[in-house]
Structures are given as C-alpha cells and as structure tokens.
Amino acid sequence: MAEKRIEWTQQQRHAIDARGGDVLVAASAGTGKTAVLSGRCVSIVSDKSLCPDIRSVLVLTFTEAAAEQMRSRIAERLKEAYLETRDPHLRRQLMLLQGADISTIHAFCKRLITEYFYKLELDPTFGVI
C-alpha cells in the first residue's frame, strides 16, 4: 500500500515548525488549515522537551466535526510517527490522546463553567441557551 505523504508549502511548514510564539493560520475553506494545525500539534507533542504529556495541550476549533477531524488526524500522524520510529514517547502520547483537550471553544468553556461554577457563584444546575 503506497504511503500518502503530505507536501507542505513553505508557509505551511513555517506554521508547523514555528516555536516561541503564537501562530495565526488564516486561509479559505479547503486549503489545509486543519491539516496544518494537526501537523503542528503532532510536531509539538512529539518533542518530549516541549510536551511530556499530550493532556497538557489545548486544541480548540469552532465545530464538533472539525474537533473530531483534528483528533483523528493527530492520532493518525502520531501512529505513523510511532510506527516509523518506535519511540516510546510517541506511543505514550498516542495512548493518552483520548484524554487530551481537543474540542470546540464552546465545549471547553462549558466544561470550565461546569467545573468551577462555585467560583463563579453560579447555580450548579445552570443551563446553556
């Protein structure tokens, strides 16, 4: 079975490899933003000195479909990297992936409010409308 290898553009590679600051990825639909962001995430969590535990990473997007696609792509790329290197760190990251905080902005905010309702002085039975 032929391996499908992504050929990143120079700008995409820069967004994936940039460290030490924020990166803004803005492009039209279908241009590879999710692929670049998942590639960046895998690049970061693959480096033990940057990310010893994938559960310390926060990945937010706008839609449930994009969040699931992001988790799936990260899993796929981590698995490929592990199979290529047999690095135990990558294997551990892959096993911990289900516990990683990859969700929509709304789901993340709701989780924070649910977890810390008492600090916000909210009724614990609050609802979102």
Side-chain angles (χ1 to χ4, degrees):
M1 185 171 178
E3 182 179 320
K4 183 182 172 191
R5 203 82 174 150
I6 297 175
E7 296 294 326
W8 302 110
T9 67
Q10 182 179 356
Q11 293 87 358
Q12 289 172 323
R13 176 53 58 198
H14 178 70
I16 291 168
D17 294 336
R19 299 292 182 268
D22 297 332
V23 173
L24 173 64
V25 176
S28 59
T31 57
K33 290 182 301 294
T34 303
V36 168
L37 293 173
S38 58
R40 179 172 170 76
C41 187
V42 169
S43 175
I44 290 169
V45 303
S46 295
D47 184 338
K48 192 174 186 173
S49 67
L50 288 176
C51 184
D53 188 329
I54 195 169
R55 294 172 298 182
S56 66
V57 173
L58 174 62
V59 180
L60 298 178
T61 187
F62 289 101
T63 68
E64 289 290 339
E68 271 313 304
Q69 184 179 45
M70 187 79 70
R71 184 181 301 277
S72 174
R73 286 184 181 189
I74 291 168
E76 184 179 313
R77 295 218 168 80
L78 275 175
K79 182 178 178 182
E80 288 169 3
Y82 170 70
L83 291 174
E84 189 174 300
T85 65
R86 299 295 183 187
D87 180 344
H89 173 70
L90 294 175
R91 182 173 182 267
R92 182 174 187 275
Q93 297 291 55
L94 192 55
M95 290 182 347
L96 296 174
L97 181 61
Q98 280 309 114
D101 213 342
I102 302 171
S103 69
T104 64
I105 296 167
H106 293 87
F108 173 70
C109 291
K110 183 178 185 298
R111 186 179 61 74
L112 283 180
I113 293 168
T114 301
E115 192 171 333
Y116 297 104
F117 68 90
Y118 59 96
K119 289 189 177 198
L120 299 168
E121 298 180 6
L122 289 176
D123 183 329
T125 62
F126 79 93
V128 177
I129 56 171

